[in-house]
Amino acid sequence: MASTSATTSSDALRERFAALARQGRKALVPYITAGHPSPVLSITLLRALEEAGADVVEVGVPFSDPMADGPVIQASSQSALAQGMTFARTLDLVHEARLGVPVVLFSYLNPVIAAGPGALERAAAAGCHGILVTDLPVGVDPEREHWLGSGPLAFVRLVAPTTPDERMREIGSHGSGFVYLISRLGVTGARDDVPDELPSTLGRLRRATSLPICVGFGISNADQARRIGALADGIVVGSAIVRAAGEGIPVAARLASELRRALDAG
Amino acid sequence: MTATRFGAYGGQYVPETLMPALEELEVALAAAQADPAFTAELDHLLAEYVGRPTPLTSAPRFGERIGARVWLKREDLNHTGAHKINNTVGQALLAVRMGKRRIIAETGAGQHGVATATICARFGLACVVYMGEEDMRRQALNVYRMHLLGAKVVPVTSGTRTLKDATTEAIRDWVTNVRDSHYIIGSVVGPAPYPRMVREFQSVIGREARAQVLAQAGALPRTVVACVGGGSNAAGIFAGFVDDQGVELVGVEAAGRGLESGHHSASLTSGRPGVLHGSLSYLLQDEHGQVHPAHSISAGLDYPGVGPEHAWWKDSGRGTYVAVTDDEAIAGLGLLSRLEGIIPALETAHAIAWMDASRGRWTPDENVVVCVSGRGDKDVAQLSESGILPA
C-alpha cells in the first residue's frame, strides 16, 4: 500500500472545503456502512457516490452495538459484520475504491481501540483523510483524543442541539476538518422535515467555530438538502443512502445525484 | 483518578447529545446528596416502602456443610424481591427533583424493570422498560408484573435480544427524549455518574450488613460474597467492607456452559478492557472489538460488560473474581432451598455455588456474608418447565 505523507491526509478535507467555499458550493457527504450491501458492492457504491457528486464520503466501521444509530444503520452493520467486516477490512475497501474525494472513517471507539496503536497510520495509508468517533465526545478521554487528534487524520467532532455555547467552542478548538452538527435529538434515521431549532443551533455553532459545518441525522430528500444546504457548509446523508444501497447501487447513486442537484440549485 | 473514573476505568463514552444530561445529573446528584431533606426522604421510603433494613440471617445448615459461619444478607426480602429497588427509589427521587416525569429503564431478568415500574407507579411517573425478546420469554411473569404496574414494556428484537441489546435500545430512547426523560440504569454500569451513583444507592446493603454482622457475630467477616453481572448488588455490599482491608471481597460471575465453551458472561474472569454503553471496563469481545454475546442461564447475569469499579477492584487486587457454571448455579439454588428454606434467585445461586465449591477455605469460626440479591420465585417457572429439580 502506498503511503501518503503524514500531513496530506488531514489537509485534504481543509482543501476540499476551501475549494467549495471559493466556488460557493455546499458539500454532499454521503455515508455508507463498510461491507453493506456486501464488501464488493461497497466499493462499487463508493465509486458511484463519487461519480454522483459526493464531495466527501463517510465510511462506517460496523459495530455490534451502535447505540447512536437507528434501525437502518443497525441492520446494515449487523449484515456487514455477518459478512466478516472488520476495521482492517474497512481500510481494504477504502484502499481498493481509490477515490478522488476525501474519506472520513466513522466508527465507535471500541473497534478503533482494538485496531491498535498503528490504526491511524494504516488508515491514512489506505486513503482515509479523517476520522469521527461517535462515542468519544470532547474532554472525556484526553489521552485517546490526543492520539486521534495528533495523528495523520483530521479528527472530526460532533455537536448536538443540546450542546451549550461554551462547549461548542471547546469542540471547535479540539476538532479539525469540519464539525458534524447533529440536526436533532435521537438516533440516525431518515426523516422528511427540518427541525425548528436547527437555524438557531447553527447560528450558535457559527459563532463558536470557524471550521466548516456539515449537518447530519434525518436528511433524506432534496427539499431538506436545499433548505439545510442554504444554512450549512454541507449535509451528511446516512440512513437514506444506506437504505437505497440495500435496494441497489443505482438507487443510491440516483438519490445522491438528486441531493447534489438540490444543493447546487439551492 | 478523576471523578468520572475508577483507575483507568469508567468514563463517559456517549453520543455528544447526552453530555449535558450527564452533567445535569451529576449536579443534581451532588445537590441531592448534600440536602438533608433528600436523604431523609430516601431513608423514609427505604424503611416504609421497601421494608429496610433487611435482615442478616444465619444459615446454620449450609454453614455446617461448608465449614463456616454463613450469614445471608436478605435483599430477597425487599419489596419486589430483589436489591434493585434500592437504586430505583433513589434515582426516581432524583428524577423528580430534576423535573423529569418520564422514566426509561432496561431490564434483563425483569427485576430492575419491576423495581422501576413499581417506583414509577408510586410517584406517578411514566415508565418505559426495554427488555430483550428472549428475556421476555424467560421471565414472562415479570413482564406481567410490569404491565400490572402500569409500565410499557418494549420488546427488543435486535442483536442477541437480551440485556445488552435492551440497554442499547434504552440509550437510543434517552438520546431521543433526553430533555424530558431520565434513564434509570439498573446496575453499576453506563457512563459516569451512573456507576458511582448506583453504587451509592446500593451501598445501603453494605452499611447494614457491616453493622449487623458486628452485632450478631461480634466480628467482621473473613469473606463477603456476591454474584456479579453488571455488579450492583456486589458493589453495594462490598462498599460496606471495602475499607476493612482484612475482609476479602469475592465476586462470582456466570461461567455459563463453561469458560472454555465461549458461552458465558464472565467479563472480569475472561474478558479484556473495552468500551460498551458509555464506560471502559472488562468486556467480552472479539479481537476486532466487536462485543461477544454473553450467555447465562440467569437473565440477570447475561451481560457482556461489568461495572468499571469492579474492573478497578480486580486490577488493584481489592476484589477477587471467580465464575461458576449454569449447572453449578442450579445446584446452588437447590442447596440453599433445601438446607435453609430460602429459594434464592438464580443470580444469587452463583454465589452460593462458589461457596459450596470452596468448602475447606474457611475455619468453622470464620464468618462469611453472602448477598442474597433476590428471591428465586421468578426462576421456578423456567426451571420447572425445563424439568429441572436440583438434587
Side-chain angles (χ1 to χ4, degrees):
Chain A
M1 223 176 271
S3 172
T4 46
S5 88
T7 52
T8 53
S9 294
S10 57
D11 289 345
L13 278 166
R14 194 172 54 232
E15 284 160 14
R16 171 66 51 156
F17 280 99
L20 284 166
R22 279 194 304 275
Q23 297 157 14
R25 298 175 70 229
K26 301 302 168 87
L28 173 62
V29 187
Y31 164 98
I32 76 154
T33 300
H36 176 266
S38 73
V40 168
L41 286 173
S42 289
I43 297 170
T44 316
L45 175 59
L46 284 170
R47 291 177 179 153
L49 292 172
E50 179 179 18
E51 183 74 17
D55 298 292
V56 175
V57 289
E58 281 188 1
V59 178
V61 178
F63 182 51
S64 52
D65 296 82
M67 65 179 166
D69 285 301
V72 171
I73 293 180
Q74 285 173 46
S76 70
S77 301
Q78 287 192 6
S79 154
L81 289 172
Q83 296 179 75
M85 194 48 49
T86 62
F87 186 89
R89 291 194 62 197
T90 300
L91 300 189
D92 291 345
L93 294 186
V94 171
H95 180 64
E96 210 165 318
R98 289 173 213 288
L99 301 182
V101 296
V103 174
V104 176
L105 282 180
F106 191 109
S107 186
Y108 287 83
L109 182 57
N110 208 48
V112 181
I113 295 176
L120 306 177
E121 287 72 21
R122 290 200 302 277
C128 298
H129 305 88
I131 187 163
L132 185 157
V133 182
T134 317
D135 52 352
L136 186 63
V138 165
V140 304
D141 189 339
E143 205 174 303
R144 289 195 174 87
E145 290 174 71
H146 177 76
W147 172 57
L148 287 155
S150 63
L153 303 179
F155 189 16
V156 177
R157 312 307 292 265
L158 294 131
V159 165
T162 50
T163 307
D165 295 351
E166 179 59 31
R167 196 173 156 76
M168 283 184 176
R169 282 191 286 279
E170 197 184 339
I171 293 170
S173 67
H174 285 85
S176 55
F178 62 94
V179 177
Y180 186 133
L181 174 61
I182 297 167
S183 72
R184 65 187 78 226
L185 303 185
V187 295
T188 58
R191 313 284 180 86
D192 52 18
D193 61 334
V194 173
D196 292 339
E197 65 183 335
L198 181 62
S200 83
T201 311
L202 249 164
R204 293 198 294 126
L205 184 55
R206 281 281 185 223
R207 289 189 288 279
T209 182
S210 56
L211 286 170
I213 300 168
C214 292
V215 175
F217 276 47
I219 303 177
S220 65
N221 64 42
D223 177 56
Q224 291 169 304
R226 191 162 38 240
R227 290 165 62 196
I228 296 173
L231 303 166
D233 300 306
I235 59 165
V236 182
V237 184
S239 298
I241 291 284
V242 170
R243 189 174 53 201
E247 292 166 22
I249 305 304
V251 183
R254 268 200 302 281
L255 174 60
S257 302
E258 253 172 59
L259 295 168
R260 172 80 274 162
R261 279 196 299 277
L263 280 178
D264 291 345
Chain B
M1 192 188 298
T2 67
T4 62
R5 296 204 179 245
F6 307 92
Y9 300 107
Q12 298 181 310
Y13 300 94
V14 295
E16 170 65 23
T17 308
L18 293 180
M19 288 301 284
L22 294 177
E23 194 184 333
E24 179 192 6
L25 184 56
E26 261 170 22
V27 169
L29 177 64
Q33 287 176 321
D35 180 359
F38 178 82
T39 313
E41 192 175 3
L42 178 58
D43 288 349
H44 173 73
L45 280 165
L46 289 177
E48 187 207 53
Y49 190 66
V50 178
R52 301 204 72 92
T54 59
L56 187 73
T57 306
S58 61
R61 296 186 68 208
F62 180 56
E64 187 180 349
R65 177 180 163 98
I66 71 162
R69 294 178 74 190
V70 172
W71 302 90
L72 310 173
K73 180 57 179 163
R74 300 294 304 282
E75 294 304 298
D76 58 316
L77 294 180
N78 282 326
H79 179 41
T80 71
H83 70 290
K84 293 292 188 186
I85 195 156
N86 302 326
N87 168 47
T88 60
V89 168
Q91 284 201 51
L93 273 178
L94 256 187
V96 171
R97 276 176 78 103
M98 292 189 291
K100 302 205 171 180
R101 308 289 303 180
R102 178 176 179 271
I103 299 296
I104 307 159
E106 85 295 337
T107 197
Q111 292 303 105
H112 173 59
V114 168
T116 305
T118 296
I119 199 63
C120 286
R122 174 71 171 69
F123 287 172
L125 304 173
C127 180
V128 179
V129 180
Y130 291 90
M131 188 169 188
E133 209 174 40
E134 167 68 11
D135 288 338
M136 287 180 74
R137 187 189 61 73
R138 289 194 281 191
Q139 300 290 346
L141 215 49
N142 273 339
V143 176
Y144 180 73
R145 284 192 183 99
M146 287 184 269
H147 285 150
L148 266 183
L149 292 161
K152 180 179 170 198
V153 183
V154 182
V156 175
T157 56
S158 56
T160 52
R161 303 175 184 206
T162 61
L163 179 54
K164 166 180 89 95
D165 309 283
T167 306
T168 303
E169 206 56 44
I171 292 172
R172 291 185 183 121
D173 181 318
W174 196 32
V175 176
T176 310
N177 300 294
V178 62
R179 284 181 175 136
D180 70 350
S181 300
H182 174 65
Y183 176 21
I184 300 188
I185 296 185
S187 192
V188 287
V189 301
Y194 280 102
R196 199 178 297 271
M197 173 173 69
V198 177
R199 183 254 283 146
E200 276 303 304
F201 288 137
Q202 292 293 359
S203 65
V204 64
I205 306 173
R207 271 197 308 280
E208 286 178 7
R210 188 175 188 279
Q212 289 166 323
V213 72
L214 284 173
Q216 294 171 234
L220 283 172
R222 183 181 143 195
T223 310
V224 174
V225 189
C227 62
V228 175
S232 71
N233 90 89
I237 197 165
F238 289 179
F241 298 92
V242 72
D243 292 332
D244 300 312
Q245 289 301 326
V247 177
E248 67 173 343
L249 309 175
V250 178
V252 186
E253 297 190 294
R257 299 192 187 112
L259 292 179
E260 304 308 312
S261 72
H263 298 285
H264 61 79
S265 303
S267 331
L268 290 160
T269 312
S270 73
R272 63 187 165 82
V275 173
L276 177 68
H277 295 149
S279 66
L280 174 69
S281 186
Y282 280 82
L283 179 63
L284 300 179
Q285 57 180 319
D286 69 15
E287 59 181 306
H288 303 293
Q290 304 295 339
V291 179
H292 200 278
H295 163 82
S296 171
I297 189 171
S298 139
L301 302 183
D302 198 342
Y303 184 67
V306 67
E309 193 165 23
H310 287 295
W312 164 239
W313 283 333
K314 174 189 160 83
D315 282 13
S316 66
R318 186 62 192 92
T320 301
Y321 295 88
V322 296
V324 308
T325 64
D326 289 348
D327 290 346
E328 291 168 318
I330 291 168
L333 185 147
L335 209 52
L336 202 69
S337 302
R338 279 195 325 282
L339 293 180
E340 301 294 345
I342 294 169
I343 302 173
L346 265 174
E347 290 80 5
T348 307
H350 286 72
I352 303 297
W354 175 78
M355 291 165 73
D356 192 51
S358 305
R359 271 175 283 175
R361 184 185 178 96
W362 300 279
T363 60
D365 61 334
E366 284 181 321
N367 294 288
V368 182
V369 174
V370 57
C371 187
V372 180
S373 55
R375 61 182 182 218
D377 306 53
K378 69 178 174 57
D379 297 313
V380 295
Q382 181 196 354
L383 292 176
S384 77
E385 277 164 23
S386 310
I388 296 169
L389 185 63

